[in-house]
Amino acid sequence: TLTLAGTGLGGTSSNNITLTVTSISGTTTGPITGITSSGTAISGKYVAVSTGSSTVAGYSVNGTSWTAATLPGSAANWTSVAYGKISNVGYWVAVASGGTQAAYSIDGITWVAATLPASATWTSVTYGAGKFVAVASGGTDAAYSSNGTTWTATSALPASTTWAGVAFGNYLFVAVASNGTQAAYSTN
């Protein structure tokens, strides 16, 4: 069981989300095959984006019943979505791999196109410390935005590798690679 504290994500303790693994394939190190969730997200919605060549997103108020939404622009390989509050307004931000496509929404339903600062294999986006941060695989590319609409490039990652994810916690942004033991962190 993992509880994501709402207070660490810009909400209150009433925004805690609890994830419980209900089944694993094979041994204890096998892939997760079942998971349940409970709680109310900060925005009161769960939002997901579709990988592959798509413009499909989805939202849910309970995590079990989903409604389709449409991402802007041409079909893209959407890879990650994050939520953050800026000036007391909640924003969902999504990034796509293999180009400069990004999108933002204030309700998780209606999306507006945004542009990342470089064409890259964008793999993950997170929110913390008043900004969104995205990382890309295959280089040192990262980008940040204080509003989800205008992005600034940075080559802050220490090595060109398969950066797969970025998260924020305990006042640190942490990026991890999918191969090997590479990780990096930043306070800003």
Side-chain angles (χ1 to χ4, degrees):
T1 299
L2 170 68
T3 299
L4 305 172
T7 56
L9 300 170
T12 67
S13 61
S14 67
N15 300 120
N16 290 354
I17 302 291
T18 301
L19 305 172
T20 303
V21 174
T22 57
S23 61
I24 299 172
S25 177
T27 67
T28 58
T29 59
I32 295 171
T33 56
I35 192 165
T36 61
S37 64
S38 64
T40 302
I42 295 170
S43 72
K45 279 190 187 111
Y46 298 95
V47 174
V49 293
S50 176
T51 61
S53 184
S54 175
T55 58
V56 176
Y59 64 94
S60 172
V61 295
N62 60 16
T64 57
S65 298
W66 290 82
T67 302
T70 302
L71 291 160
S74 60
N77 184 23
W78 297 96
T79 55
S80 185
V81 62
Y83 178 83
K85 275 194 170 180
I86 300 167
S87 300
N88 290 322
V89 177
Y91 285 84
W92 292 100
V93 171
V95 297
S97 178
T100 60
Q101 279 187 283
Y104 67 93
S105 174
I106 60 171
D107 61 8
I109 301 168
T110 303
W111 292 84
V112 178
T115 303
L116 290 162
S119 182
T121 306
W122 298 101
T123 56
S124 185
V125 63
T126 192
Y127 177 82
K131 67 180 86 169
F132 291 94
V133 173
V135 296
S137 180
T140 59
D141 290 322
Y144 63 91
S145 174
S146 61
N147 58 16
T149 63
T150 304
W151 290 85
T152 302
T154 178
S155 293
L157 294 169
S160 179
T161 190
T162 54
W163 297 106
V166 63
F168 180 81
N170 202 26
Y171 306 103
L172 293 174
F173 291 96
V174 178
V176 295
S178 63
N179 295 329
T181 57
Q182 190 106 34
Y185 72 91
S186 174
T187 57
N188 62 3

